[in-house]
Amino acid sequence: MTLVPASIIRFNLDTKQEEKAIKRGILPLLERATLVQTFGQRNHVCLDQGSITIPPFAPPQKMQAHYIPPDIPRSIFVYFRGLFYDVNNDPEGGYYARGARAAVWENFKNNPLFDISTDHPTTYYEDMQRSIFCLCPLGWAPWSPRLVEAVVFGCIPVIIADDIVLPFADAIPWEEIGVFVAEKDVPKLDTILTSIPTEVILRKQRLLANPSMKQAMLFPQPAQPGDAFHQILNGLARKLPHDRSIYLREGEKVLNWTAGPVGDLKPW
């Protein structure tokens, strides 16, 4: 008989096949595995077995090359570039993004507060830095690199994905830096966003300006303290059998994964 040790697995599941996979359930081989996957989904069969949710890769050097001076005003109220309908895979338009993106377009395509389009201009990164709110709706999956880009460029992410599980909650206070809008409330987006007090917007922007927020979402080469790679190591440390106090630095929430007895750092 062969024993399969607990594993660390990174995978992407073809969205078209995902519903079939969920019905079948997780493979017995993976029941003790740690699944490392981009932005999770609540009540997903894989997440029921435990996983580490990570941000998708966004090229740090490419993004840094597009930084603009921080004193340039944010003159765009709401910004979004991307698909509203997936005509090739969902010609009737009701299944893609569960209709949330279609609702954004139908309700706000002529609203002067909303700079939304399917175009992808060469100034995309610069435009995000000139925007107050960046829409981050679900697509075929709950996540997209758009949320990483919004955080890195200090644009308040407007997260429209009812069942999304966000990464690194101990490092990024998502409720404080973002705005969560239920998919059913998309037609009220203009009212929701214009009713947010100025002081709340400024507080979110100050938090987003903290370099640690950007660092936690990126995978620079080589790895740097506090980056996404280190956040993954923190998540793995939690899954090792140990007294929780061993890995906590005094006064901090971030786990010190390099501390503790050597025996505890070995896979079980």
Side-chain angles (χ1 to χ4, degrees):
M1 181 166 111
T2 301
L3 295 178
V4 179
S7 308
I8 301 169
I9 297 175
R10 167 75 175 93
F11 73 97
N12 284 309
L13 188 61
D14 184 342
T15 306
K16 296 179 181 178
Q17 301 298 321
E18 188 163 6
E19 288 186 359
K20 294 181 180 178
I22 290 173
K23 289 179 181 178
R24 291 173 183 164
I26 194 168
L27 294 172
L29 176 68
L30 302 180
E31 287 180 357
R32 293 190 65 244
T34 296
L35 304 179
V36 180
Q37 63 178 32
T38 44
F39 299 0
Q41 180 176 334
R42 291 188 185 92
N43 302 318
H44 194 287
V45 62
C46 294
L47 296 183
D48 288 343
Q49 301 299 329
S51 70
I52 294 176
T53 305
I54 67 173
F57 177 77
Q61 291 182 332
K62 180 180 178 182
M63 299 175 78
Q64 290 164 3
H66 288 266
Y67 281 153
I68 64 176
D71 57 347
I72 292 181
R74 292 185 179 267
S75 55
I76 302 171
F77 190 63
V78 181
Y79 187 74
F80 176 80
R81 291 294 183 274
L83 290 177
F84 298 98
Y85 300 91
D86 188 341
V87 294
N88 293 323
N89 297 302
D90 181 29
E92 296 182 1
Y95 188 72
Y96 177 59
R98 294 196 286 258
R101 292 197 186 197
V104 169
W105 179 251
E106 296 301 332
N107 285 277
F108 305 111
K109 59 187 175 184
N110 297 318
N111 189 316
L113 294 176
F114 284 67
D115 187 345
I116 58 176
S117 171
T118 57
D119 297 335
H120 196 87
T122 57
T123 58
Y124 174 70
Y125 286 155
E126 289 82 357
D127 292 343
M128 292 189 85
Q129 294 171 81
R130 297 187 183 98
S131 304
I132 297 173
F133 295 103
C134 288
L135 300 185
C136 302
L138 74 162
W140 284 114
W143 59 270
S144 81
R146 205 171 277 104
L147 187 50
V148 176
E149 295 163 348
V151 172
V152 170
F153 292 129
C155 186
I156 299 171
V158 181
I159 300 164
I160 307 170
D162 290 352
D163 53 3
I164 194 170
V165 176
L166 296 168
F168 312 147
D170 60 338
I172 302 178
W174 291 107
E175 294 287 345
E176 295 181 40
I177 67 171
V179 175
F180 290 79
V181 176
E183 294 165 24
K184 66 178 179 59
D185 292 334
V186 166
K188 299 184 286 187
L189 257 177
D190 54 346
T191 302
I192 291 170
L193 297 179
T194 55
S195 65
I196 298 175
T198 301
E199 60 269 22
V200 173
I201 292 175
L202 293 174
R203 183 168 65 248
K204 291 179 183 294
Q205 290 176 331
R206 284 194 296 269
L207 288 169
L208 284 166
N210 187 329
S212 68
M213 299 287 176
K214 312 178 197 301
Q215 188 80 336
M217 295 292 280
L218 294 174
F219 293 90
Q221 294 291 333
Q224 300 172 9
D227 67 7
F229 174 69
H230 283 77
Q231 302 300 333
I232 293 172
L233 292 178
N234 286 335
L236 291 172
R238 288 189 181 86
K239 296 181 179 299
L240 293 171
H242 63 275
D243 186 306
R244 289 174 182 251
S245 64
I246 290 176
Y247 293 100
L248 287 174
R249 293 191 180 101
E250 186 176 356
E252 296 185 8
K253 294 182 178 179
V254 179
L255 289 170
N256 182 6
W257 53 272
T258 59
V262 175
D264 279 354
L265 294 175
K266 296 178 180 178
W268 74 100

